[in-house]
Structure formats: C-alpha cells, structure tokens
Amino acid sequence: MSEAVIAQKAKVVESVTEQFKNAASAVIVDSRGLTVAQDTDLRKQLREAGVELHVIKNTILRRAADKAGFEGLDDTFVGPTAVAFSNEDVVAPARILAKFAETADALEIKGGLIEGKVATLDQINDLSKLPDRDGLLSMLLSVLQAPVRNVAYAVKAVADAKPAEEAEA
C-alpha cells in the first residue's frame, strides 16, 4: 500500500475515533437487506433527530474503538456495520433504530455506547423505551409543579370553605 493511502486511512480512523469520543451515544447496527426506500426513510428520521449514520469498514471501527479506549465492541464489528452517532440526545439513536427495526426485519441492532460506556444489546433496547429529551423534560416539569399545584388547590379549598362557614354563623 502506498503511503498516501495509509495516511488517508489514518485520517479516517482519527475522525471515527473523535466521533466515538464525542458521542453521547452510538448504536451499532447491521442494515444489510434494507431497501433504498427504507434506508432513505431511516436516514431522514435520524437526521431530523440530529443523529449521523455512517457505514464504516470494520477494521477502521476496531482501530478507532481501541484508540478511543472502548474495549468489548469487537464482537459487534462483524459483517456489514453502520454506526448511528448522537452528540446531544442519548436516547434518540436507540429509540429511532429500535422503532424502525420493528417494521424492518433487515435492521439488526448489535450494541453500542451510552455516555462513554460500552452497552449491550439489552441496555440499548432498554434505552430505546425511554421517551425523548422533550418528553423527559415534560415529565420532570410536571413532577416539579405537582407540590405547587397541590398547595394552590388546598388554599382554594380553604378559601371556598370560609364563605360557607360565614353563611352558617
């Protein structure tokens, strides 16, 4: 191999290493057998959620994962491999890919990374069942509002009860 080709491959490995390091989560899938329409639809859904999907050679993935310090991913880098990287939303790649896999039998989730730790297929599936970021924030907001709402109802009940007491007296 020429030095130029080796240098180019080294740049690709370095780029993928940075993607692994910067990713909030990464989901590794086998998308062999998807139709062009399915692949286009999947990529559109991922892109709208801020997730990048890349088909990368397994040797490059192995080197990049080792360089980034992620051991235990080599078993997932077998056969055709695509990786969905998300730098912001931890849940998005797992949720979108798991939902898509329900209708597309050809899509197989192999494993991935969650917040810098190697994740098993079961952990990815558990993550996929969580609501998206906006849903989680909405749940948090309703939990935080509940005590204030309850106090407001109690004050209103006391205020409504006073006129009834005054009318009886």
Side-chain angles (χ1 to χ4, degrees), residues 147-161:
V148 174
R149 188 179 319 119
N150 292 341
V151 168
Y153 287 143
V155 169
K156 184 173 182 338
V158 169
D160 290 345

Side-chain angles (χ1 to χ4, degrees), residues 1-106:
M1 245 194 273
S2 72
E3 289 184 27
V5 172
I6 293 172
Q8 184 179 10
K9 287 186 178 186
K11 282 183 183 178
V12 173
V13 169
E14 191 61 39
S15 171
V16 175
T17 301
E18 286 303 310
Q19 284 184 306
F20 274 129
K21 287 180 180 178
N22 296 333
S25 70
V27 178
I28 302 163
V29 296
D30 177 354
S31 60
R32 170 184 39 196
L34 288 180
T35 65
V36 173
Q38 288 174 321
D39 187 55
T40 303
D41 184 37
L42 176 61
R43 288 177 183 271
K44 180 179 181 252
Q45 289 178 34
L46 290 168
R47 194 173 33 256
E48 288 172 352
V51 178
E52 297 179 26
L53 181 70
H54 299 286
V55 177
I56 305 169
K57 288 186 173 190
N58 291 326
T59 53
I60 291 173
L61 287 170
R62 280 189 201 99
R63 288 182 181 149
D66 287 343
K67 203 170 182 181
F70 299 118
E71 296 178 14
L73 286 175
D74 286 352
D75 295 342
T76 61
F77 301 140
V78 177
T81 305
V83 183
F85 293 102
S86 176
N87 293 340
E88 295 173 13
D89 190 352
V90 176
V91 179
R95 189 183 71 257
I96 293 168
L97 289 167
K99 185 176 179 185
F100 197 85
E102 290 174 4
T103 59
D105 294 335

